[in-house]
């Protein structure tokens, strides 16, 4: 009896199927890293803004004001991926914050994410409202750059498919 190995054929079919699914958008939303500030997507597509976070150092990221145009993009949510050995310990290490949006209408809008080192931001929380840089009391020394809140702006252009 002769055994026929179909491994090359299976691999080729798997690669073709993966390529076809990627073209259909079934592999997940496009992801834009910190520094990739120009986002171009088609109406109906989802996309994610991915930013590094040092939660062990008390750093957090938030969507801040002014909010993006709701006629152009809709915020779907925020997730956190934690690096390290203990994934159950949220806030105990570094990781990535993922802000996911859906392109709902054509046009251009800006998404502003604020990076907040420990004590550098005010607002939000249980009282709601925008998260903004904390004021520095008069007469106090200006905090170092790595201790100040930083707003990162992404320009999102949504086109027709």
């Amino acid at each position: 009896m002769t055994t026929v190995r179909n491994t090359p054929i299976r691999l080729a079919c798997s690669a073709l199927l993966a390529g076809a699914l990627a073209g259909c958008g079934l592999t997940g939303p496009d992801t834009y890293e910190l520094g990739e500030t120009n986002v171009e997507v088609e109406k109906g597509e989802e996309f994610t803004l991915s930013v590094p976070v040092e939660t062990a150092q008390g750093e957090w990221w938030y969507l801040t004001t002014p909010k993006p145009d709701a006629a152009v993009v809709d915020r779907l949510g925020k997730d956190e991926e934690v690096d390290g050995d203990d994934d159950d310990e949220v806030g105990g290490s570094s990781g990535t914050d993922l802000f996911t949006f859906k392109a709902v209408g054509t046009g251009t809008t800006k998404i502003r994410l604020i990076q907040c080192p420990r004590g550098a931001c005010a607002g939000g929380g249980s009282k709601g409202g925008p998260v903004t840089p904390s004021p520095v009391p008069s007469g106090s020394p200006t905090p170092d750059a790595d201790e100040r809140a930083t707003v990162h702006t992404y320009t999102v252009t949504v086109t027709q498919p």
Side-chain angles (χ1 to χ4, degrees):
M1 177 182 271
T2 305
T3 303
V4 177
R5 301 207 181 259
N6 293 327
T7 303
I9 293 171
R10 286 185 190 144
L11 290 173
C13 288
S14 295
L16 287 172
L17 180 59
L21 291 176
C24 294
L26 297 178
T27 58
D30 287 337
T31 300
Y32 297 86
E33 305 292 331
L34 183 64
E36 293 181 272
T37 58
N38 292 311
V39 176
E40 293 185 22
V41 293
E42 291 182 350
K43 182 179 175 184
E45 289 184 338
E46 292 182 10
F47 63 95
T48 298
L49 303 179
S50 173
V51 293
V53 63
E54 294 290 336
T55 53
Q57 302 299 320
E59 178 182 76
W60 298 97
W61 287 78
Y62 302 94
L63 180 66
T64 193
T65 56
K67 301 281 189 211
D69 184 349
V72 178
V73 297
D74 182 30
R75 180 180 178 193
L76 299 180
K78 176 185 172 186
D79 293 307
E80 182 179 347
E81 292 179 353
V82 178
D83 297 335
D85 296 330
D86 190 1
D87 288 344
D88 294 331
E89 188 179 336
V90 175
S93 63
S94 61
T96 305
D97 277 353
L98 304 165
F99 294 83
T100 303
F101 297 85
K102 183 170 186 173
V104 295
T106 59
T108 300
T109 190
K110 295 196 182 295
I111 297 174
R112 292 166 186 85
L113 300 180
I114 188 167
Q115 179 182 12
C116 298
R118 181 183 308 273
C121 293
S126 61
K127 295 182 182 180
V131 175
T132 58
S134 293
V136 176
S138 60
S140 297
T142 302
D144 293 335
D146 63 341
E147 297 174 349
R148 291 191 302 252
T150 305
V151 175
H152 300 268
T153 303
Y154 297 81
T155 302
V156 180
T157 302
V158 178
T159 60
Q160 283 290 353

